Amino acid sequence: MNKSIILKNRPSGKPSLKDFEFTDIKKPKAEEGKLLLKTLYVSVDPYLRGRMRDEKSYIPPFKLNEPLESMIVAEVLESRNNNFKKGDFVSGMLKWQEIQISDGEGLNKIDSNSAPLPAYLGVLGLTGITAYLGLEKIGKLKKGEHLLVSGAAGAVGSVAGQIGKIKSCKVTGIAGTDKKIDTLREKFNFDAGINYKKTEDMKSAIAEACPEGVDVYFDNVGGEILDAAMANMNKFGRVINCGAISLYNAEEQPTGPRLETVLIKKSLSMQGFTVRDYAEDFPAAIKQLGQWLKEDKLKYEETIVEGFDKIPQAFIDIFDGKNKGKMLVKVS
Amino acid sequence: MNKSIILKNRPSGKPSLKDFEFTDIKKPKAEEGKLLLKTLYVSVDPYLRGRMRDEKSYIPPFKLNEPLESMIVAEVLESRNNNFKKGDFVSGMLKWQEIQISDGEGLNKIDSNSAPLPAYLGVLGLTGITAYLGLEKIGKLKKGEHLLVSGAAGAVGSVAGQIGKIKSCKVTGIAGTDKKIDTLREKFNFDAGINYKKTEDMKSAIAEACPEGVDVYFDNVGGEILDAAMANMNKFGRVINCGAISLYNAEEQPTGPRLETVLIKKSLSMQGFTVRDYAEDFPAAIKQLGQWLKEDKLKYEETIVEGFDKIPQAFIDIFDGKNKGKMLVKVS
């Protein structure tokens, strides 16, 4: 019994359970140079929706009828590779499969004593690194500036906002429930929060929360919230286009106000950010994030669903904002 | 007799002659520390349309019933300021007025032996500097890359394209008449030109002209041509949002496809560029441009209309693309 999840259909609009299929494959054996891995924790992330489309992007699309993959924490059951030994914990881009073989390439050994294993898929994993490097490389956030974050209660947004506070910035977060807004203020130390689902005029709401304007906007959602943020940017403001979850399920080309005149008038920049472009900066990012975590300057939230069978539903639930912080599936 | 042109109405849509009014004011006298200036050449530029709106931008709006202003080359008729003497030629932001007083602040002395006077409003003036610094500061154009320029036969675009060629790049230009396209290729050394008025599918036309994709897009027009360029950008491409002449006369907020997903997918940047933000780099820019001009590496075109009374019409004509290269009015 070794379950695997394959992409059955390319989703139309919001993904549904029928787009995924469970198959049962033979338990593999590790040949010379290989590792046998047991999946422990699976990260489910909005960007995976993009890979389900058959189109060119920064990462190749998933193939139909083949296993899906995402960032996973696994345990080494057997090693015939000198770089790893039985009992090691590793993280890397791995298949949605209970037991699998790897040649070790792209895997990182992780230390379960420094931080709990799931943290390596969140605050010390790609999402935390995304927040850190987005602000460093694109946002160039400086002390005293005003940082606006959308998807602020999410895995990336909550770390981005906290880094803003560590850098002595004013931080406003946008999220979709009052409970999330409370968490932003109470747990993550944000200065202000806006529940966009209860706000008719986002432009005015941002203006009220950021009376001195916005210097850096960390955008995880795109769409109308981006438009409202643009109207509040200060001269020389920087927009980190990290995600556009509000558009990912759109089947037609979404339209909106043209932004080129406001870019020119206020000397703004918008820059698409994909953390994989900065792989050489990952070790420094993880070191800094780990340090802040130890100093208790960085809090995080996780929503951990249990059971390998729950992976597709957990992925679908992200698009309804059912997660608090990083969405993970604990497999065993 | 000392004519001055004031803004009578804020234009609605495309400016018309009734938005301007000529007044006749007394010839002023230069007090201690001041200069008496005679206007020789007046630059008319698309960005002035923005200043005719009553809204906050990088430069304050024109006031109703007060003289308009733009970059002007003038002769010093009388000087009671130690930095200038009678007979000097100067360039600077001055009023649309035949004779005027200045305190000398913001004026540059120019040398009529190094280059013809009108060149200081074009290739050696703000438009040339805009092309040079846009590519340096925002585009970060590198040898061998593919540069796409819109408004390519215009004052900024034609210099931008030629700098691309000087930097050993492939350069494609977009303009609105076959004659302009010929000029791009024959006079300005562009590799390819696209007449957007005769092209139904700009996205495909750009793909054909730039089979290896576009690395830097110098955008002077915005709107649908920007959309078509975005579809052809290479990973890590840079868009210099220098102008958006296709939108300047719009009375309602223009809409178009949302660009945030393509920004993310291809790690693109879009950055609003206003040359005034880089005033400290002007001397170096003028020096480099002057050097290239001397070496005959830089050609330029001008459309010179004669007569102070023609200033408003010359300004209006820009929006119909009636100019070839820099549009100027020779006053006397």
Side-chain angles (χ1 to χ4, degrees), chain B residues 168-218:
Chain B
S168 304
C169 293
K170 283 210 171 181
V171 179
T172 296
I174 300 169
T177 69
D178 286 345
K179 209 173 157 189
K180 285 181 180 177
I181 299 298
D182 288 344
T183 306
L184 293 185
R185 300 181 61 127
E186 288 157 20
K187 181 164 182 176
F188 296 133
N189 199 22
F190 282 49
D191 297 286
I194 302 169
N195 180 347
Y196 73 93
K197 285 195 180 153
K198 287 193 170 174
T199 304
E200 274 195 23
D201 181 351
M202 279 300 291
K203 184 174 154 183
S204 301
I206 295 170
E208 206 174 302
C210 316
E212 286 150 24
V214 175
D215 300 297
V216 175
Y217 173 45
F218 199 118

Side-chain angles (χ1 to χ4, degrees), chain A residues 144-303:
Chain A
E145 290 191 317
H146 203 137
L147 171 67
L148 177 68
V149 183
S150 62
V156 174
S158 60
V159 177
Q162 290 177 88
I163 295 174
K165 292 310 300 174
I166 291 170
K167 297 205 165 193
S168 305
C169 292
K170 282 207 171 184
V171 180
T172 296
I174 301 170
T177 69
D178 286 345
K179 208 173 158 191
K180 286 181 181 177
I181 299 298
D182 288 345
T183 306
L184 293 185
R185 300 181 59 128
E186 288 158 19
K187 180 162 182 178
F188 296 133
N189 199 22
F190 282 48
D191 297 286
I194 302 169
N195 180 347
Y196 73 92
K197 285 195 180 154
K198 285 192 170 174
T199 304
E200 273 194 25
D201 182 352
M202 278 302 290
K203 184 174 153 182
S204 302
I206 295 170
E208 205 174 304
C210 317
E212 287 149 26
V214 175
D215 300 295
V216 174
Y217 173 45
F218 199 119
D219 188 21
N220 291 303
V221 303
E224 291 175 13
I225 292 179
L226 170 60
D227 304 336
M230 290 299 282
N232 284 287
M233 296 300 290
N234 286 332
K235 176 141 188 167
F236 300 120
R238 289 86 70 199
V239 177
I240 306 158
N241 293 101
C242 181
I245 195 171
S246 73
L247 308 179
Y248 288 169
N249 291 329
E251 286 300 294
E252 286 179 16
Q253 168 66 56
T255 59
R258 290 192 175 277
L259 299 174
E260 47 269 40
T261 43
V262 65
L263 285 172
I264 298 170
K265 272 187 194 166
K266 300 200 275 191
S267 301
L268 304 180
S269 73
M270 293 176 75
Q271 188 163 351
F273 174 69
T274 296
V275 73
R276 283 165 193 74
D277 295 339
Y278 298 88
E280 73 274 22
D281 298 301
F282 284 12
I286 296 170
K287 195 176 162 197
Q288 178 62 78
L289 290 162
Q291 180 65 29
W292 285 332
L293 198 62
K294 259 188 209 154
E295 294 168 6
D296 207 28
K297 288 182 177 167
L298 219 47
K299 318 272 185 188
Y300 61 96
E301 290 205 327
E302 295 164 337
T303 302

Side-chain angles (χ1 to χ4, degrees), chain B residues 68-81:
Chain B
L68 292 140
E69 58 178 38
S70 67
M71 288 302 287
I72 280 174
V73 164
E75 184 183 346
V76 177
L77 293 181
E78 189 187 331
S79 174
R80 301 186 64 188
N81 176 313

